[in-house]
Amino acid sequence: MTIYFLGGGNMARAIIAGLRAQSPDDAIFVANRSAEKNARLQQDFHVATDFRLPETLSPQDVLILAVKPQDMKAALQNVRHGGALILSLAAGLAVDTLANWLGTHRIVRVMPNTPCAVGLGVSGLFAAEGMSASDCAIAEKIMAACGVTIWLNDEKMMNAITAISGSGSAYVFYLMNALQKAAAGLGFADETARTLALNTFRGAVALAEQSGEDFFILQQQVTSKGGTTFAALTKFEECGVADGLTEGVHAAATRSAELAQILKD
């Protein structure tokens, strides 16, 4: 299987890293305008970037669309897909829209996130109507190399998974940054504050995964009424931290739907 990327930005790089970790010898080609990014991709992952995409593809190939949604239509103007399986990473671009631009319905929409770069990503997938089981299996294999895959039965749920996992790593980094700043504010050196924040999150995730307990139960196991954790959680409730997070996720989902409508129009 030969995999072609149209675009070589951060998300393409993350997926290439995941693929290379699983299958170091797979043929991967990247069509990208940035000479600097091309050089880094070649150096880090030994991919080819010196080829002309429109003259290359066949039905046995996979084309991964990794350019920005607002630039996609222009980027596809001269692309002849040759019947290749298409995986689109473009948020908000519906399968029907892509099908009209490309002249094929052999399309799987994918919403990955940047932890794909370390094999711990989450990718939501939605297949165009009538897609074969074998094509879905290929898409599954590619994205499973980068982490967990979630298949969606309704394309509208792409907005929801964009808001949860697609943007979700940024929410985690936001909280990690806040905890690091809090540690620094309590007198820890910057590097120590970073270590405390990073390993607190790492340990909590590992414990949650290993125990299989409900997150709320795990929270209660750390919290004694009147104790230090209780004091912190009480302040979080007073500040509306959980409500703010929920509202933020809904805002992300709403914005995803708005961008989809803009791109459709």
Side-chain angles (χ1 to χ4, degrees):
M1 178 173 60
T2 302
I3 302 174
Y4 296 90
F5 283 80
L6 182 60
N10 292 335
M11 192 55 67
R13 181 181 176 86
I15 294 173
I16 291 168
L19 289 169
R20 272 289 180 256
Q22 184 183 73
S23 303
D25 298 324
D26 278 353
I28 299 176
F29 297 81
V30 182
N32 189 57
R33 291 180 297 181
S34 170
E36 180 182 353
K37 288 182 179 179
N38 286 343
R40 288 179 57 205
L41 287 167
Q42 289 173 3
Q43 178 180 342
D44 295 344
F45 305 114
H46 307 291
V47 300
T49 59
D50 51 347
F51 74 101
R52 295 187 62 82
L53 181 64
E55 301 172 0
T56 307
L57 277 66
S58 74
Q60 289 73 43
D61 298 327
V62 177
L63 172 61
I64 299 181
L65 306 180
V67 300
K68 294 179 180 179
Q70 61 269 29
D71 299 331
M72 185 67 75
K73 188 173 184 179
L76 295 179
Q77 285 296 315
N78 297 314
V79 170
R80 296 191 294 274
H81 53 79
L85 172 62
I86 311 292
L87 271 60
S88 172
L89 311 183
L93 274 177
V95 164
D96 285 347
T97 300
L98 290 166
N100 287 335
W101 292 349
L102 285 163
T104 178
H105 278 81
R106 198 182 176 200
I107 299 171
V108 175
R109 278 186 65 185
V110 183
M111 174 47 61
N113 60 11
T114 52
C116 284
V118 292
L120 294 172
V122 178
S123 299
L125 297 93
F126 174 80
E129 186 176 356
M131 284 283 289
S132 69
S134 59
D135 278 347
C136 290
I138 293 170
E140 170 83 19
K141 180 180 179 181
I142 290 171
M143 299 315 302
C146 310
V148 174
T149 58
I150 306 292
W151 282 94
L152 308 174
N153 294 323
D154 185 345
E155 191 171 13
K156 291 181 180 178
M157 289 301 292
M158 292 297 289
N159 296 324
I161 204 161
T162 297
I164 295 294
S165 58
S167 300
S169 53
Y171 313 154
V172 175
F173 298 143
Y174 179 90
L175 294 172
M176 291 173 72
N177 185 53
L179 189 58
Q180 179 180 349
K181 287 184 175 180
L186 289 171
F188 290 101
D190 288 346
E191 190 58 36
T192 302
R194 175 182 171 83
T195 297
L196 287 168
L198 183 63
N199 286 282
T200 297
F201 272 78
R202 178 184 288 134
V205 169
L207 177 60
E209 188 169 40
Q210 186 179 72
S211 71
E213 290 278 12
D214 183 87
F215 298 146
F216 182 68
I217 297 298
L218 291 170
Q219 174 189 310
Q220 288 183 316
Q221 290 174 354
V222 189
T223 308
S224 300
K225 191 169 184 179
T228 57
T229 308
F230 180 82
L233 294 175
T234 299
K235 180 57 68 173
F236 292 164
E237 289 299 312
E238 290 176 2
C239 294
V241 173
D243 289 341
L245 179 61
T246 299
E247 290 175 13
V249 170
H250 281 278
T254 298
R255 184 55 179 161
S256 178
E258 290 172 350
L259 291 172
Q261 188 60 49
I262 291 170
L263 290 166
K264 181 179 179 181
D265 294 341

